[in-house]
Amino acid sequence: MPGWNLTGVAPAVSRTASGDDALSVSQAVEMAAGALDALPQLTVLGEVTGFRGPNARSGHCYFQIKDDSCAVDCIIWRGSYAKRTFELRDGMQVQFTGNFNLYKATGRMSFVARSFTLAGEGLLRQQVAALAEKLRREGLMDDARKRRIPVFCTRVAVVTSLSGAVIDDVKRTLRRRNPLVELICVGSKVQGEGAPEELIEGLARAAAIEPAPDCILLVRGGGSFEDLMTFNDEALARAVAECPVPVVTGIGHEPDTSICDMVSDRRCSTPTAAAESVAPAMSDLVDVLEARERRLVVSVSGTVRSAASALDGQQGRMGRAMQARLDRLSIALDAAAHRPCLASPAGMFERRRSDLMQTADRFTAAVARSQERFEVELAGMAPRLSQTTSALAARRHALDLFTSRMAHEGRTLLAGRKADLAADAAALDALSPLKVLARGYSITYGPSGVVTSASGVAAGDDIRVRLADGDVYAQVESVTVQTGAQAQDD
């Protein structure tokens, strides 16, 4: 069987036009399979598409690898795929090492990969996936952590490039849907070197605005995977998660999903969709208000009807209760009106007067009987009272004599005591300081008490001079102390 060169072009084969020289399908497939087997092991770079696997029964993987102009079927046997270090997915750029193979039964050519590694964008996607898994385990993507965005935001801050079409789309969308929304623009790079740091700073500036905005839009237009890598930065993702103001992202187009989208409080497919999500259309607000008005009217009407029904019930119960009370009071009043004191007041007084007259007659009779008994008893007691009166007169005479003697003895006893007391009083009066003061003398009091010597005071001291009829307060101007000889001369 003729061989094939590595360029895939078969050598010329001398065949006649006769049918005896034509190859059968099996021979042609055998020739092609031999040519493919002669090819050395190849390393092919392509994008994974149509990935299916591993197969539930065999464990093999079937898919295609392609570039801009061509595609080829690819197979990875179960043993080779079991040695993988990552999962294959559509869109990955992967380097496959293996050989071409021809399935003779159908004449279909496939590339059988023995090993594969990520390359280019595929490697970036793997790194992004690893970072996303790390942040997911930390809880930054949990729905419970994400904050609720107000249905109607009145102040919105947008962090994006101010030189692109995105900011114009956001402004136009907000003006169209709800011109009442106040938009605050914070400029920042959205790709290239230093873009994550500028976006982090932009988020901080937007969150520091006073009064604080209801939410922050972090938006960027579409681009390649490499262009959107800025929004897969770990520091930026953490800044979005830790921002004190809720963050709404609109990065790229519908299929694009970045880590910032995953950790944000709300992810929208495009910047325009992000702007629409925070600014309900005026017509929608009118519809909501009208619906709420209708519900409020229905609710209030129901409440009023219920209250009116309850009031009618209360009124009926109150009327019945008042009627029952009035009936009881009427019965009590009728009973009181039939009492004798009200039916015949004069009769009651006549009965009371009759009772009082009978009581007076009984009292008079009782007094007469008591007086008779008293007179009888007094007549019997007269002799004894006469004897008692004589005895009392004798006792009174003796008592008068004893009183006279006691008064005489008392005067005699007190006379000597009074004389001694008068003598002592005269002596004390003669020695009294007041008598001395009355003769022109005085007592001087200084800071330390009674002054008995001129040395007891000093110039400037306050003194009090006690006289017979009052005190004199003065201040010492000077002090002269006399010697013994001077005092005798004086």
Side-chain angles (χ1 to χ4, degrees):
M1 181 179 294
W4 288 63
N5 59 24
L6 294 181
T7 61
V9 179
V13 179
S14 298
R15 297 291 183 185
T16 64
S18 64
D20 294 339
D21 296 331
L23 297 174
S24 66
V25 174
S26 300
Q27 290 174 331
V29 170
E30 281 287 347
M31 185 181 297
L36 290 177
D37 290 339
L39 293 177
Q41 182 171 276
L42 305 175
T43 298
V44 179
L45 173 64
E47 178 184 341
V48 177
T49 182
F51 182 78
R52 305 185 307 279
N55 184 272
R57 184 170 58 85
S58 64
H60 308 322
C61 299
Y62 302 93
F63 55 96
Q64 285 187 328
I65 53 177
K66 67 176 183 176
D67 56 18
D68 294 337
S69 59
C70 188
V72 65
D73 291 337
C74 186
I75 302 174
I76 301 179
W77 305 127
R78 179 176 60 185
S80 299
Y81 194 69
K83 301 175 183 179
R84 68 190 180 279
T85 58
F86 60 94
E87 300 288 342
L88 287 176
R89 293 191 306 275
D90 287 351
M92 285 186 172
Q93 290 287 331
V94 183
Q95 287 184 353
F96 296 94
T97 300
N99 301 91
F100 280 101
N101 176 265
L102 188 70
Y103 184 52
K104 297 178 182 178
T106 60
R108 187 169 183 173
M109 182 182 70
S110 301
F111 185 80
V112 180
R114 309 297 179 187
S115 62
F116 54 91
T117 59
L118 281 172
E121 183 179 320
L123 181 59
L124 291 178
R125 290 183 182 273
Q126 183 182 18
Q127 293 171 352
V128 170
L131 177 58
E133 179 63 21
K134 173 185 175 182
L135 298 182
R136 184 192 63 78
R137 289 196 300 268
E138 293 181 12
L140 268 65
M141 301 179 187
D142 294 345
D143 291 338
R145 183 201 62 80
K146 298 186 178 183
R147 294 156 294 187
R148 187 183 68 86
I149 309 297
V151 176
F152 176 47
C153 299
T154 58
R155 286 172 59 85
V156 176
V158 58
V159 179
T160 188
S161 173
L162 302 183
S163 59
V166 171
I167 189 64
D168 295 331
D169 291 341
V170 171
K171 291 179 180 179
R172 186 167 49 254
T173 300
L174 292 179
R175 282 196 302 268
R176 171 176 52 83
R177 290 182 62 83
N178 198 320
L180 299 179
V181 177
E182 180 184 357
L183 182 64
I184 305 168
C185 301
V186 179
S188 172
K189 291 174 61 176
V190 293
Q191 72 180 65
E193 185 178 357
E197 290 75 13
E198 284 197 23
L199 288 170
I200 293 172
E201 182 184 356
L203 287 173
R205 284 190 287 133
I209 295 173
E210 292 293 341
D214 296 319
C215 68
I216 297 175
L217 298 182
L218 181 62
V219 294
R220 185 206 189 283
S224 65
F225 185 78
E226 289 81 1
D227 293 338
L228 300 179
M229 276 300 294
T230 296
F231 296 90
N232 292 318
D233 183 78
E234 180 177 0
L236 177 58
R238 294 187 182 276
V240 170
E242 296 169 1
C243 184
V245 178
V247 178
V248 178
T249 56
I251 300 168
H253 297 302
E254 179 64 39
D256 299 323
T257 301
S258 64
I259 292 180
C260 286
D261 287 323
M262 299 177 188
V263 301
S264 66
D265 298 290
R266 176 189 292 169
R267 184 256 173 182
C268 297
S269 58
T270 62
T272 302
E276 291 177 347
S277 72
V278 300
M282 293 295 289
S283 59
D284 295 341
L285 292 177
V286 171
D287 294 340
V288 170
L289 290 176
E290 290 178 349
R292 291 185 177 180
E293 180 184 7
R294 290 192 294 270
R295 290 200 300 270
L296 183 60
V297 170
V298 172
S299 177
V300 171
S301 300
T303 302
V304 170
R305 286 194 297 271
S306 299
S309 177
L311 183 60
D312 292 341
Q314 292 285 353
Q315 184 178 3
R317 288 193 292 273
M318 185 181 296
R320 292 190 294 272
M322 289 299 295
Q323 187 61 46
R325 179 173 177 80
L326 290 175
D327 292 341
R328 291 195 300 272
L329 292 177
S330 178
I331 293 172
L333 183 60
D334 291 341
H338 289 84
R339 294 178 62 182
C341 62
L342 297 177
S344 179
M348 182 185 69
F349 284 113
E350 289 295 334
R351 287 194 300 274
R352 289 296 178 91
R353 185 171 64 178
S354 176
D355 293 341
L356 287 175
M357 291 176 66
Q358 291 177 6
T359 302
D361 292 341
R362 289 195 297 270
F363 181 72
T364 301
V367 169
R369 289 193 297 273
S370 297
Q371 187 175 1
E372 290 176 358
R373 286 197 301 271
F374 179 74
E375 291 176 353
V376 171
E377 291 177 357
L378 184 60
M381 292 175 62
R384 291 195 299 274
L385 288 174
S386 178
Q387 294 176 0
T388 302
T389 301
S390 300
L392 287 175
R395 291 289 181 90
R396 177 173 290 180
H397 178 69
L399 183 60
D400 290 341
L401 292 177
F402 180 73
T403 301
S404 177
R405 287 197 300 272
M406 287 293 293
H408 176 72
E409 291 295 334
R411 285 192 296 272
T412 304
L413 182 62
L414 290 175
R417 301 293 185 185
K418 285 183 178 180
D420 293 341
L421 181 59
D424 292 340
L428 286 174
D429 186 58
L431 297 175
S432 173
L434 299 177
K435 289 290 185 179
V436 177
L437 294 176
R439 293 198 297 270
Y441 292 93
S442 64
I443 303 173
T444 302
Y445 297 89
S448 300
V450 177
V451 178
T452 58
S453 173
S455 60
V457 295
D461 289 349
D462 292 328
I463 60 174
R464 178 170 63 92
V465 180
R466 174 70 184 275
L467 302 176
D469 57 350
D471 295 335
V472 175
Y473 294 88
Q475 188 178 56
V476 178
E477 293 184 355
S478 63
V479 177
T480 302
V481 180
Q482 295 182 355
T483 63
Q486 292 174 340
Q488 290 177 0
D489 292 343
D490 291 342

